């Protein structure tokens, strides 16, 4: 396990392996999303109560799941980067944040768009909505901190501390928000659906898997770009560039000298 | 452990440079040639309860260099800030071309360059941007471009890095480059040699020499010996 | 050898300088906006999610949040320039001092007042404010935010020489902000209740005219004093 | 030739140092308190003077004001020490880093949390809060304010190396403050409605215990990183 | 205009002083006498994209003075901060008495005094209070009281004024006084002569000489010539 982490943690190894995996994952993602969208938008029935607007669910719910999943993954990989000093983990954490923030944003937007026809209001201070909003703030804080540091190493370490503190707080925030809302407002606009018909469940699950893979694809692509950028002074990247263009196109380590 | 090699980017070609023309500054308008342009009479400065100096007279004409010397805490910085109009003396007046500097502040500032303990280089901007802004705000421009000025002070290659990451001495050099881009008649430099290496010290001396030869004036506070040749040095000893 | 720059070109250069600095710290430049959003979201959390209550509070909360966000970003106006000696350099440019202050106030407004206009409608929706009231909110913010920046400039100029002046600053500035707050929140409140808002809006306009003409001079004088 | 000082005596020396510094700037040391008062008084101005409405708002407004006042005084915790190089000196004392952070958080609480306890009853009366609710308000402030200082210390430690971190700091810290706000304001609200508040108070207590044990370590790690 | 009189408060009696006993420091425990106490192997430092130095070895034993020299921007400050443990090298380790300083941070700090470009004197406190606090926090005390130390550095009479009003050089002297109140084996001084007058420079040289004679060690970065006699000087040239 340890060896494996170190082997996979080497940027060069990662670059080569991910290059081979990427097309397959991308293909699977496209396939799943196309199938999911078809099933969701055309093959599945409209809800008897919500009518066609229910179809927003096939975007909304998978992004909501992703938004939380990515935060945990980001915090975990930031912690790994901090504790074992693995550059690749730092990159994964850094690259995940904007993706996670985007999914959170999509959740909020689709939720609002859905809320207008369903509840007659764009926004309601419901527990789940509120905690999703706070999650967006956590993401934004992480991104802001990351971009505020010049030195990448320091940026990674500082934001790792934040991500860990945030991850410890996420459950606390979640439960306190739940508490707060049920305390003040007995009449609940529950977002959950206890029973869901299989004709809607299947497309939903397919879309959820598709969105997870979409995250993986974006993650791999952005991580690869980031790896190239950070390792641009290393021999293997230089060779790669030379193979591509035929000459060294990337500044050398001592360009100031 | 100890390695020796000349650092190519820092070889400073100031001596051989032809970029800054040795043209004279426009001759002083008021007061006529030879008359002192900066005068101060009977200056006194009190800080807290201590009288730092009193009855001090200053007069500086074209081509003159005034060295303000004195031990730590003797009032050099206080004097220079008063002469720039940044602080008020507790007695006495400072005149530029016969006019009180408090009254004709804008005309005075157009011909003045001040370099204090804190040199006002923005860490978030690149040296080049720092100079461009200084240029856009300055009184009269000398025609030396920011790039040329940075080259002169030995910062070729650092033009576009944020100034924040520069070392103490490099940031000081950016501030010095400001002196080159503006056509200021009077330089007021508070310990300009701080943080500079021996190359840097020579650079400042060269800059001063050239400035004075063109008919400029300079007020310099320092604890170092200033090796400039063929100029009128006035020493002002504070104690 | 070029001409000595005119007043307008200096003003332009100063504003360009500050915007460039803000651009270099994008994360920070967005902060007044972010703070506004955060304060507005804190209130439902502190008060509970009842839509009726929130709607009643909305004008006051939005305006108080706008005011605090303007106030908190004031300190950055001169602080770093003072610390690194740039402020002395600015005071030695061959132009009247009020130009510096005017440029700073304008930049402050561009970065803290203007973006609020874009986000305020969204936040007003969160607090269930009705449509016409949102329009009035935007008008009051458009008139009031520049006043906040201009009056703020006087306060910062007075406190720039003092370290940790931050909260001292609020003490100086908040009393002067109160008329803006009362008129701004009052107008939105009236609009939400369907009343006319002409009087409040014209008072806000008058405050703006007043601030534009007087604040730069006062702040310029304050600046020269506190940097010495 | 004396002994190397122990951990507790170092903690004492650090706190004494910061209190001495605060004493030298009395005007600034009082500021969190003043800010608290100002924010609380702004609300009646923005919302109009209806007693019923104010009473309903009181728990939320008081707690939001306490939170903002704690947050705004956070920045001063390390800022001047960083600027003048004292922080490097502190990092080189022969003691674990978390001691520095703990001392800073304690001083912050002494200057921003503790004084609120004295003034909160008065302000609560202004907002027509009933007597039992005021008692609960004091208890929640006593439990919650130290949490704010401790969590805040993490935020400041993370941003101390960054100039103009002020509002970035709030972005980092405010989401983490939300549970304290919800529990604090919630308890006061329940008390005002005559409900039981045991659950909220024990959650606040748990948060405090949690923060005391974990925050100094996280903040210490953050500090070492961001000063490099 | 120029006046000459010795300033009584600044006559510095360091040479004749008997306050600081010339007693030796406790001999080094680990490694034994003569073994280097501070060692660093194969240090490298990368800032941004630039490699400032690599493969650098440092070893410093009792009574040794290491002068770190190099032009502006060559990495002196970066090196000193790494050696203090304030920054991490991109490669290599620093050891104090054989232990990595990252591991035994507290033991290292107890014997270390660092003076950077920013010297950490609180402007709101008086010089005396500044020193008392430094004393209370430091590792091992030397027994020199703050008042005595201030007298040694020529600040007699300024003990109780807020340090904020002191001049640049006077504030630097307060920072130097810290070196006297603590019994630190290793001094790391980044351009200690900045802002000091000639008296001040001599004072630092005297302090260094005495420190080294007692078996102390010092790492000094500077652009000046350091005139200390009878000591083992190692020069580290960065470029
Ligand atoms: C801005 C508004 C909204 C936000 C921020 C939001 C947020 C969320 C979140 C975070 C989840 C995942 C919860 C979990 O798995 O525990 C979720 C799930 C869901 N949301 Fe929304 N939502 C919004 C509006 C709506 C609306 C208007 C509806 C429909 C009436 C809706 C229906 C659902 C459904 C059906 C699920 C999946 C149920 C489940 O997993 O328990 N949401 N939403
Ligand atoms: N605000 C003030 N209140 C009281 N005294 C002050 C104030 N500012 C400066 N001083 C005193 O004025 C004296 C001169 O300070 P100044 O900075 O002019 O000295 P300097 O000659 O530049 O010294 P250095 O060589 O150290 O830079 C100092 O002794 C200082 O204590
Ligand atoms: N955060 C950073 N990112 C990139 N480069 C940096 C950073 N910090 C410092 N540098 C670079 O490191 C080099 C060395 O800086 P350092 O401060 O160590 O120099 P120095 O030898 O102390 O110079 P001086 O004599 O001017 O004080 C400089 O060229 C600077 O540009
Ligand atoms: Mg001085
Ligand atoms: Mg240096």
């Amino acid at each position: 396990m340890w060896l494996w982490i170190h082997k996979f943690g080497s940027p060069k190894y990662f670059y080569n392996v991910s290059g081979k995996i990427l097309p397959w994952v991308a293909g699977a993602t496209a396939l799943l999303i196309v199938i999911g969208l078809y099933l969701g938008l055309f093959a599945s029935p409209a809800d008897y109560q919500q009518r066609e607007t229910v179809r927003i669910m096939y975007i909304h719910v998978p992004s909501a799941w992703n938004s939380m999943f990515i935060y945990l993954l980001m915090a975990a990989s930031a912690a790994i980067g901090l504790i074992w000093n693995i550059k690749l983990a730092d990159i994964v954490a850094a690259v995940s944040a904007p993706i996670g923030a985007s999914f959170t944003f999509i959740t909020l937007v689709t939720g609002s768009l859905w809320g207008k026809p369903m509840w007659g209001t764009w926004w309601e201070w419901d527990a789940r909505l509120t905690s999703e909003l706070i999650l967006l703030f956590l993401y934004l804080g992480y991104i802001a901190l990351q971009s505020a540091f010049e030195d990448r190493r320091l940026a990674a370490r500082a934001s790792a501390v934040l991500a860990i503190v945030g991850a410890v707080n996420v459950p606390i925030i979640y439960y306190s928000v739940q508490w707060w809302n049920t305390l003040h407002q007995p009449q609940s606009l529950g977002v959950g659906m206890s029973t869901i018909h299989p004709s809607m469940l299947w497309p939903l699950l397919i879309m959820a898997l598709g969105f997870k893979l979409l995250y993986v694809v974006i993650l791999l692509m952005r991580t690869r770009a980031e790896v190239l950028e950070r390792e641009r002074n290393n021999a293997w990247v230089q060779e790669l560039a030379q193979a591509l263009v035929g000459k060294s196109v990337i500044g050398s380590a001592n360009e100031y000298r | 452990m100890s390695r020796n090699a000349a650092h190519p980017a820092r070889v400073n070609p100031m001596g051989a440079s032809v970029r800054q023309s040795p043209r004279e500054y426009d001759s002083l308008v008021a007061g006529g040639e030879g008359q002192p342009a900066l005068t101060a009479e009977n200056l006194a400065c009190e800080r807290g309860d201590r009288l730092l100096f009193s009855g001090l007279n200053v007069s500086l004409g074209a081509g003159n260099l005034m060295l303000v010397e004195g031990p730590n805490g003797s009032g050099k910085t206080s004097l220079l800030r008063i002469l720039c109009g940044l602080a008020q003396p507790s007695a006495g007046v400072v005149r530029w071309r016969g006019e009180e500097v408090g009254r004709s502040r804008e005309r005075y500032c157009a011909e003045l360059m001040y370099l204090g303990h804190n040199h006002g280089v923005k860490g978030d901007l690149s040296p080049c941007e720092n100079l461009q802004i200084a240029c856009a705000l300055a009184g009269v421009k000398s025609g030396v471009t920011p790039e040329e000025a940075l080259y002169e002070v030995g910062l070729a290659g650092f033009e576009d890095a944020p100034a924040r990451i520069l070392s103490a001495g490099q940031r000081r050099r950016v501030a010095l480059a400001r002196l080159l881009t503006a056509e200021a008649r009077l330089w007021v430099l508070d310990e300009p040699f701080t943080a500079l290496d021996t190359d840097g010290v020579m650079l400042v001396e060269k800059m001063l020499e050239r400035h004075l030869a063109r008919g400029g004036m300079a007020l310099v506070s320092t604890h170092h010996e200033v090796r400039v040749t063929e100029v009128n040095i006035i020493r002002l000893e504070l104690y | 050898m070029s001409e000595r720059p005119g007043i307008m070109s200096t003003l332009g250069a100063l504003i360009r300088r500050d915007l460039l600095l803000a651009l270099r710290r994008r994360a920070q430049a967005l902060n007044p906006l972010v703070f506004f959003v955060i304060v507005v979201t804190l209130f439902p959390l502190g008060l509970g999610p009842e839509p009726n209550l929130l709607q009643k509070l909305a004008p006051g909360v939005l305006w108080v949040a706008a005011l605090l966000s303007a106030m908190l970003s004031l300190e950055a106006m001169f602080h770093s320039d003072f610390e690194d000696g740039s402020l002395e350099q600015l005071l030695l440019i061959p132009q009247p001092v009020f130009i510096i202050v005017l440029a700073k106030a304008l930049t402050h407004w561009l970065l803290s007042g203007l973006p609020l206009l874009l986000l305020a409608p969204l936040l007003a929706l969160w607090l269930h404010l009705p449509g016409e009231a949102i329009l009035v909110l935007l008008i009051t913010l458009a008139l009031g935010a520049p006043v906040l920046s201009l009056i703020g400039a006087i306060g910062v100029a007075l406190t720039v020489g003092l370290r940790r002046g931050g909260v001292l600053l609020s003490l100086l500035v908040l009393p002067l902000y109160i008329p803006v707050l009362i008129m701004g929140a009052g107008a939105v409140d009236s609009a939400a209740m369907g009343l006319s808002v002409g009087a409040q809006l014209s008072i806000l306009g008058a405050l703006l005219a007043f601030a534009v003409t007087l604040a730069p001079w006062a702040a310029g004088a304050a600046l020269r004093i506190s940097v010495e």
Side-chain angles (χ1 to χ4, degrees), chain A, chain B, chain C:
Chain A
M1 170 69 182
W2 179 242
L3 271 178
W4 181 82
I5 287 185
H6 261 268
K7 193 170 176 204
F8 200 72
S10 122
K12 185 180 175 191
Y13 182 80
F14 166 82
Y15 188 83
N16 293 336
V17 169
S18 63
K20 288 187 195 117
I21 299 177
L22 191 54
W24 298 98
V25 187
T29 307
L31 198 68
L32 281 173
I33 289 185
V34 166
I35 294 176
L37 279 181
Y38 172 76
L39 289 180
L41 297 189
F42 303 107
S44 80
D47 191 83
Y48 76 99
Q49 220 181 3
Q50 311 187 355
R51 286 194 298 279
E52 298 297 336
T53 57
V54 77
R55 303 194 192 283
I56 294 179
M57 178 174 74
Y58 302 115
I59 304 290
H60 172 76
V61 176
S63 354
W65 287 343
N66 255 12
S67 68
M68 290 177 286
F69 168 76
I70 294 176
Y71 191 89
L72 292 181
L73 200 133
M74 178 186 90
S77 93
I80 292 173
L82 183 67
I83 296 165
W84 287 296
N85 217 341
I86 295 172
K87 269 190 201 163
L88 190 61
D90 290 342
I91 300 178
V92 167
V95 158
S96 291
I99 310 177
S102 316
F103 278 118
T104 315
F105 190 69
I106 292 173
T107 311
L108 286 167
V109 170
T110 53
S112 288
L113 290 177
W114 201 359
K116 190 62 183 172
M118 293 322 304
W119 307 330
T121 162
W122 299 100
W123 182 260
E124 201 56 52
W125 291 95
D126 169 83
R128 206 174 299 183
L129 275 57
T130 308
S131 42
E132 187 74 1
L133 183 65
I134 297 171
L135 185 65
L136 181 67
F137 288 156
L138 284 174
Y139 271 124
L140 291 181
Y142 181 92
I143 295 170
L145 185 66
Q146 184 109 48
S147 67
F149 278 90
E150 299 313 318
D151 190 308
R152 288 212 187 86
R153 199 168 42 108
L154 294 184
R157 286 162 63 191
S159 49
V161 173
L162 181 70
I164 295 167
V165 171
V168 170
N169 270 277
V170 160
I172 299 178
I173 293 173
Y174 188 78
Y175 285 111
S176 63
V177 169
Q178 205 113 28
W179 170 286
W180 158 75
N181 184 289
T182 46
L183 198 76
H184 283 271
Q185 192 201 27
Q187 135 255 10
S188 172
L189 293 154
V191 195
M193 272 201 219
S194 47
T195 53
I196 187 165
H197 195 270
S199 66
M200 288 157 97
L201 184 63
W202 273 111
L204 184 61
L205 289 182
I206 292 175
M207 281 300 283
L209 190 60
F211 266 51
K212 285 273 177 326
L213 287 183
L214 179 62
Y215 161 63
V216 174
V217 171
I218 302 175
L219 179 70
L220 285 181
M221 281 166 47
R222 297 215 32 200
T223 307
R224 282 163 59 84
E226 200 64 29
V227 164
L228 281 190
E229 157 128 41
R230 293 193 190 188
E231 303 278 311
R232 66 175 173 280
N233 297 324
N234 282 15
W236 67 272
V237 181
Q238 299 274 340
E239 276 164 27
L240 222 119
Q242 271 166 14
L244 270 180
V245 190
K247 61 180 175 42
S248 174
V249 285
I250 295 161
S252 75
N254 298 332
E255 59 188 355
Y256 283 144
R257 294 202 167 188
Chain B
M1 198 160 73
S2 127
R3 297 166 300 181
N4 255 311
H7 193 296
R10 273 193 214 85
V11 171
N12 197 284
M14 188 72 191
S17 159
V18 288
R19 285 164 187 247
Q20 194 183 0
S21 67
R23 183 178 36 71
E24 286 251 329
Y25 288 104
D26 303 344
S27 71
L28 293 176
V29 186
E33 197 64 54
Q35 289 282 56
L38 181 75
T39 57
E41 280 152 38
N42 211 11
L43 278 190
C45 173
E46 228 171 298
R47 304 302 311 251
D49 288 340
R50 290 179 57 214
L51 185 67
L52 290 181
F53 49 80
S54 65
L56 200 74
N57 296 312
V58 173
S59 80
L60 202 66
N64 287 1
L65 166 66
M66 177 173 280
L67 292 182
V68 182
E69 293 170 345
N72 290 141
S74 53
K76 301 181 293 299
T77 301
S78 309
L79 175 63
L80 295 189
R81 284 175 55 90
I82 288 173
L83 290 176
C84 282
L86 282 171
Q88 301 302 316
S90 36
V93 283
V94 182
R95 289 209 170 77
W96 175 249
R97 306 195 174 185
E99 288 178 281
E100 267 186 47
V101 300
R103 300 261 169 80
S104 62
R105 202 184 69 83
E106 286 139 48
R107 247 164 301 151
Y108 182 40
C109 289
E111 303 190 82
L112 170 73
M113 273 285 176
Y114 170 70
L115 199 69
H117 280 295
N118 281 333
H119 36 56
V121 172
K122 297 307 288 186
D124 286 337
L125 303 181
S126 69
C128 207
E129 287 162 336
N130 266 295
L131 287 183
Q132 279 161 357
I133 287 166
C135 246
L137 296 175
V140 184
K141 283 139 201 121
S142 68
V144 176
T145 66
E147 289 80 9
E148 287 166 353
L150 286 173
Y151 178 78
E152 303 273 1
V153 299
L155 285 177
F158 285 95
E159 290 92 347
D160 297 320
R164 178 178 2 93
I165 70 161
L166 299 182
S167 76
Q170 289 172 324
R171 253 172 293 151
R172 191 98 203 157
R173 284 163 186 255
V174 179
L176 287 170
R178 242 183 348 229
L179 298 173
L180 298 176
T181 58
E183 185 86 347
R185 198 60 194 260
L186 173 63
W187 290 1
V188 179
L189 314 179
D190 198 359
E191 306 202 18
F193 301 122
T194 303
L196 292 181
D197 56 18
T198 38
D199 261 18
V201 172
M202 267 164 51
L203 167 72
V204 175
E205 288 165 350
K206 276 264 160 56
M207 280 170 59
L208 272 174
E209 226 162 57
R210 180 178 291 262
H211 173 68
L212 297 167
R214 293 177 60 199
M217 284 159 271
L219 265 160
V220 177
S221 88
T222 178
H223 301 300
H224 295 239
E225 209 33 63
V226 182
R227 288 154 302 178
V228 285
T229 46
E230 298 177 57
V231 270
N232 235 329
I233 299 188
I234 309 167
R235 271 165 210 278
L236 181 65
E237 201 80 36
L238 296 174
Y239 58 93
Chain C
M1 293 249 56
S2 55
E3 285 287 285
R4 195 169 126 192
I7 263 195
M8 289 320 286
S9 90
T10 305
L11 190 63
L14 285 170
I15 294 177
R16 241 175 297 128
R17 164 183 187 274
D18 285 350
L19 288 180
L20 189 63
L21 282 168
L23 191 71
R24 288 293 144 79
R25 310 226 143 215
R26 245 154 302 173
Q28 262 89 27
L30 278 178
N31 275 326
L33 195 61
V34 172
F35 184 81
F36 182 60
V37 177
I38 291 183
V39 172
V40 172
T41 49
L42 279 184
F43 274 92
L45 291 170
L47 296 167
E50 264 175 70
N52 277 344
L53 183 65
L54 287 180
Q55 178 179 350
K56 233 186 200 156
L57 296 182
V61 169
L62 285 167
W63 254 100
V64 170
L67 194 154
L68 291 177
S69 121
M71 196 189 77
L72 295 179
S73 47
L74 280 180
E75 213 191 343
M77 212 189 257
F78 290 116
H79 186 256
S80 80
D81 283 347
F82 177 74
E83 295 274 298
D84 66 13
S86 304
L87 193 52
E88 284 181 345
Q89 296 293 337
L90 288 181
L91 283 175
L92 290 176
I93 66 174
Q95 299 290 350
V97 181
F98 83 89
I99 280 293
I100 305 171
V101 187
L102 192 60
K104 290 282 178 183
L106 270 170
T107 324
H108 179 261
W109 174 74
L110 285 175
L111 295 173
S112 80
L114 197 56
L116 292 200
L117 285 182
L118 304 176
L119 233 81
L122 179 69
L123 297 179
L125 278 179
W126 277 4
L127 299 181
H128 307 286
L129 204 65
E132 325 80 78
I134 294 184
L135 187 68
V136 173
L137 174 70
L138 289 183
I139 299 174
T140 58
L141 282 179
L143 291 172
V147 183
L148 299 183
S149 299
L150 286 163
I151 294 180
I154 305 178
V156 211
L158 280 171
T159 53
V160 65
L162 314 168
R163 265 160 305 164
R164 273 196 259 157
V167 204
L168 172 64
L169 176 61
S170 29
L171 199 57
L172 290 181
V173 155
L174 272 178
L176 301 175
Y177 278 3
I178 285 177
V180 185
L181 171 68
I182 292 180
M183 292 305 142
V188 183
D189 207 27
S190 307
M193 298 192 291
L195 306 175
S196 106
V197 294
Q200 284 119 322
L201 291 187
S202 32
I203 294 180
L204 271 180
L207 284 177
L208 177 58
F210 208 57
V212 166
T213 46
L214 292 186
W217 301 98
L223 191 60
R224 294 217 59 197
I225 292 165
S226 65
V227 170
E228 178 173 328

